[in-house]
Every structure is written in C-alpha cells, then in structure tokens.
Amino acid sequence: MGFQLRKVTCLLAACATFMAGHVTTASAQSDGPLRIEITDGVIEPLPFAIPDFVPEDGGASDFARSIARVIAADLASTGLFREIPQDAFISGVTNFSSPVAYADWKAINAQALITGAVSSSGDSINVKFRVFDVFSGQPLGEGLQFSGGAAGWRRMAHKVADIVYSRITGESGYFDSRVVFVAESGPKNARRKRLAIMDYDGANVQYLTDSSALVLAPRFSPQGDRVLYTSYETGFPQVYVLDVATVGRRVLSSQEGTMTFAPRFSPDGRTVVYSLSAGGNTDLYTMDIASGQARRLTQAPSIETAPSFSPDGSSIVFESDRSGSQQLYVMPATGGEATRISFGQGRYGTPVWSPRGDLIAFTKQNAGRFHIGVMRTDGSEERLLTASFLDEGPTWSPNGRVIMFTRESQGETGEASLYSVDITGRNLRRVLTEGAASDPAWSPLLN
C-alpha cells in the first residue's frame, strides 16, 4: 500500500536528545523545546493528550477516532509516554486550523499535544496532524499529512505515531513494521505450526503457509519483501525462501543427504548464512541467492549454528560448543578465526546483532532459568533483561530499542507466546495473538 506524505505548513523545528534509562522532560522545567532525556533511573512517562481527530466530512468519522486511538496505543506501549484520559480535557479540538488553547492543556499537565483531522473521498482518506509542546507553547516540527487507501488506515496511524515518537525522542520509530512468526495450534505433544505475518502490535494477521509441515525460524530480508525459514516438508530440515507478496516459495539448493537450517539474510539481501549438517558435523555456510553458489565458513568438529550478520556485513556472530559448552563467537563474514565473546555462567545461544550495530541480543540458560539478554559486541556489559521458565529467540525492532521474543509457560497446558521488552529491561509486555505463537522476526520499517 502506497502513501503520499506532504507538509501541512511550515512550523518551528524542535531539538531532541535520547540516551538510555530515566526520563526527564525539559519543557516541564523550562521554556526550552520538549524533549526526552533518558538516563539511568526510574522512568517517568511523558504525559500527552490526543483528542479524537476531527472528521472533515461524514465518511471520515469512524476513521478519525480509530486513527487517534491507534496512535495513542502505539505511544503508550513504549513505556515512555502516558496518555491523559479524554475525560480530563478542559477544551476539545473541533477545527484543525483553530489556535491551540495552551493554558487549557497545561492545566491538565499535558506536555505534548497531538491534533489531527481526517477527510475521505471514495476509497481514499487523507490524514493530517500536528504535534505541540504545551509548556513552551510551540509546535514541534512541521504539520504533515498522509493520503492513501482507506484500507490502510492503520498503517497511516502507525506512520503518524512514528513521526511523533521521533520528534520527541530523537530516534526513529518502529510502529510501521511487521512481524513474521510461527502460529501454533493443537496439543503440546502434537503442535501444528505454520508461518504467519502481522503488524507489530498483533493486528492484520495473514498466514503464509499451511500446517502440513513443521516450520521454524522465519527471518525477514532487509527489504521486508522475502522470508527465509526452515521446513521439514521433505522429512529433513531444509531452508526455503518465500515471497511475502505472492506467497511463492522455493527451496534453496542443497547437497543430497544434508540438512540445512537457521538461515539469515546478509544486510544487502543477496546472501544467506545458514547451518549445514552432513556426516554428523554442523558448520556455517553462505550462499549467493541468485546463483546458488555455497561457501563453507567453518571447519570445526563442533556444532556451529544461529549465525547473524553485523549491520555492515563485515562480521558474523554465532553459537558454538567448540569450547565444551554452548557459547557465542564472532568471526569475519568471509570466515576465518573466531573470537569467543560470552564468558558468564551458563549457556548462550541465538545471538542477533542490533540494527544499530552496538549490541548483540541472546538467549541464556543458567541455573534452570532462561533469559533474554544483551551485551556489547566484544562481550562486555552483559545485561539480562528477562527471566522465566523458557525465554528464547530474540529479534530486534527496526530502531534497536525493543526486543521481541518467545516465552513458553510450563506444564501440560503450557504454550508459547510473544513478548517484548526494551533494552533497559523495562516495559515487559505480551504481544496479543489469536493463539500460541513463537519464533518472531521483526521486519524493517515499511516503505
């Protein structure tokens, strides 16, 4: 779905800074522009107000309220923002062009105000919005508008939320994105699994495969147009590549008598790195997708799996038991000597490089508990974000701020669910899905 983005009017630009930990808001303490500074400490979410958008014609009423509600939910879901209930409002917004009554919004302690309007024409809608710093009495950035098909109203809402988030935090957003995952059904001892795709918040679920064959570990391409995954369709694990738009798929070429699994795209989308098991040994390989030409990267008599490229494509992090236990290693993307980076107690697996390039997320098992954690790319500053009976398989949001993963509950009735947490270990949230779900992989921001 394509959208047109245009300026509503030229407004004052705002500066923003974003670090890691405690939130303070400059405009609550001074006349400077609204910003969030995040340092170590307890988070104090920024209060914001978002009245229902103004419907500019009869066909826009439902869209006007629904779009505002999705924007509010996106911002509140981050843990950095707190919505002020509409029943606390002193004044409303009935005309998009009317001056802002800053005193009324300041009286209810709103620090940011988001206003908007929606108009419709046939099967198309137009959404325009503005963001205001209430305490300084100034707009934040330029008013903008999106135009597109009415069926894409949720995407428009996510795009607005991304822009608001970016203007206040200084970081890019992550709301206009999708997640591919494994949808599970049936009893725990006979689970049926199929690939599914959804908006980042669990809406708009579509199924990409049926449940006739076991599927595992889907991974998006850097462009978000293809998905790699492992299927047991032939009785042995093989890597497939699937076109998201057409749902057409093909198996990546492999040698007879081998098993391939744990695939992941390179940053340019032209190469796949994966594990290949043959003759009782498992090593890492890369394959040029266009030609099918494969190259072996490791030659160790150990299990090498779960590879992930660095954002610049120069290095690969992976898990290996070459030291006697499951640990994390980094090596050049062309192969060669690997350096161990995990040295804490327990076993480490499923490493994934942050899109920012500064952190590696991983699964850790220690003392009967599973954790999702992050560390610097040299293994320093390890930080555990979660702990439970079974947490595994982290995936990064497009901006590197949030991690989604699988959490499985214990017992005969236990099932897998998707959860998210930010890189400070705060704001642990369950991602609502229609049934059991596992193996999430986050897409890049949509175009």
Side-chain angles (χ1 to χ4, degrees):
M1 168 96 43
F3 298 105
Q4 293 180 339
L5 172 63
R6 301 190 299 276
K7 297 178 183 177
V8 174
T9 184
C10 183
L11 306 175
L12 294 177
C15 64
T17 58
F18 200 58
M19 300 167 61
H22 170 73
V23 172
T24 61
T25 53
S27 64
Q29 306 163 9
S30 70
D31 292 330
L34 179 66
R35 67 182 184 272
I36 291 181
E37 293 182 358
I38 303 181
T39 56
D40 293 336
V42 178
I43 293 293
E44 297 175 1
L46 182 147
F48 72 96
I50 179 168
D52 288 348
F53 282 13
V54 177
E56 297 188 322
D57 56 70
S61 296
D62 290 342
F63 292 117
R65 173 169 176 76
S66 297
I67 288 172
R69 291 300 85 218
V70 170
I71 296 168
D74 284 347
L75 296 175
S77 72
T78 67
L80 300 176
F81 300 87
R82 174 177 61 82
E83 183 185 10
I84 296 175
Q86 294 193 18
D87 59 12
F89 294 177
I90 296 173
S91 60
V93 176
T94 58
N95 188 313
F96 181 70
S97 300
S98 296
V100 173
Y102 286 108
D104 289 347
W105 299 107
K106 187 180 296 187
I108 62 172
N109 198 37
Q111 295 184 30
L113 170 67
I114 305 158
T115 66
V118 182
S119 58
S120 63
S121 177
D123 292 332
S124 298
I125 60 173
N126 183 76
V127 180
K128 53 188 177 183
F129 71 98
R130 289 174 176 157
V131 189
F132 299 92
D133 178 350
V134 173
F135 281 82
S136 67
Q138 297 182 8
L140 286 175
E142 299 172 326
L144 298 174
Q145 60 184 347
F146 292 101
S147 298
W153 69 268
R154 285 186 62 89
R155 277 204 60 195
M156 293 189 196
H158 291 321
K159 285 180 175 293
V160 173
D162 277 333
I163 293 171
V164 174
Y165 177 94
S166 180
R167 288 183 180 178
I168 298 176
T169 67
E171 290 190 336
S172 62
Y174 58 90
F175 309 120
D176 186 28
S177 61
R178 308 205 76 189
V179 173
V180 63
F181 65 101
V182 175
E184 302 186 8
S185 61
K188 193 170 185 177
N189 60 353
R191 286 278 164 84
R192 295 186 298 275
K193 300 186 177 186
R194 54 179 172 166
L195 292 189
I197 191 172
M198 65 183 183
D199 294 352
Y200 97 99
D201 57 1
N204 292 330
V205 176
Q206 298 172 285
Y207 295 100
L208 304 178
T209 66
D210 59 27
S211 56
S212 60
L214 181 67
V215 292
L216 300 170
R219 301 288 182 258
F220 266 113
S221 68
Q223 298 76 28
D225 59 340
R226 293 166 295 162
V227 170
L228 288 168
Y229 67 99
T230 302
S231 173
Y232 281 75
E233 185 174 324
T234 63
F236 295 92
Q238 298 291 331
V239 173
Y240 286 75
V241 59
L242 178 145
D243 184 283
V244 174
T246 66
V247 199
R249 64 190 181 91
R250 65 181 178 89
V251 64
L252 292 186
S253 58
S254 61
Q255 306 165 18
E256 186 176 350
T258 64
M259 296 183 291
T260 56
F261 51 94
R264 199 176 289 271
F265 281 101
S266 63
D268 63 8
R270 300 176 181 176
T271 303
V272 174
V273 62
Y274 59 99
S275 290
L276 185 148
S277 182
N281 198 48
T282 301
D283 280 296
L284 299 181
Y285 286 73
T286 56
M287 178 180 293
D288 179 88
I289 296 177
S291 68
Q293 184 175 358
R295 177 180 180 181
R296 186 173 182 175
L297 300 182
T298 61
Q299 310 255 355
S302 50
I303 298 175
E304 332 292 331
T305 190
S308 173
F309 279 98
S310 61
D312 64 3
S314 66
S315 302
I316 291 173
V317 63
F318 62 99
E319 65 178 75
S320 172
D321 62 357
R322 62 179 63 185
S323 65
S325 66
Q326 189 178 354
Q327 301 293 334
L328 305 185
Y329 293 79
V330 172
M331 69 177 179
T334 54
E337 185 175 355
T339 301
R340 180 174 167 177
I341 63 169
S342 60
F343 290 95
Q345 294 184 345
R347 295 185 291 172
Y348 295 76
T350 64
V352 190
W353 221 299
S354 164
R356 298 178 180 182
D358 59 339
L359 296 173
I360 291 171
F362 57 86
T363 301
K364 181 174 182 174
Q365 183 181 8
N366 184 45
R369 301 282 280 175
F370 280 79
H371 309 267
I372 300 298
V374 294
M375 63 174 65
R376 295 293 179 183
T377 58
D378 61 0
S380 63
E381 300 182 33
E382 177 181 324
R383 185 167 67 251
L384 300 181
L385 308 179
T386 75
S388 84
F389 166 72
L390 180 57
D391 287 351
E392 62 181 353
T395 181
W396 290 95
S397 65
N399 68 351
R401 171 58 52 183
V402 180
I403 294 171
M404 193 177 294
F405 60 96
T406 303
R407 170 168 287 184
E408 186 161 345
S409 54
Q410 59 189 120
E412 294 184 1
T413 60
E415 64 178 22
S417 302
L418 304 185
Y419 278 75
S420 66
V421 65
D422 72 20
I423 58 174
T424 67
R426 295 180 51 261
N427 202 35
L428 178 68
R429 301 172 62 92
R430 182 172 179 177
V431 181
L432 296 180
T433 55
E434 294 178 358
S438 61
D439 285 358
W442 221 312
S443 79
L445 281 177
L446 303 176
N447 295 321

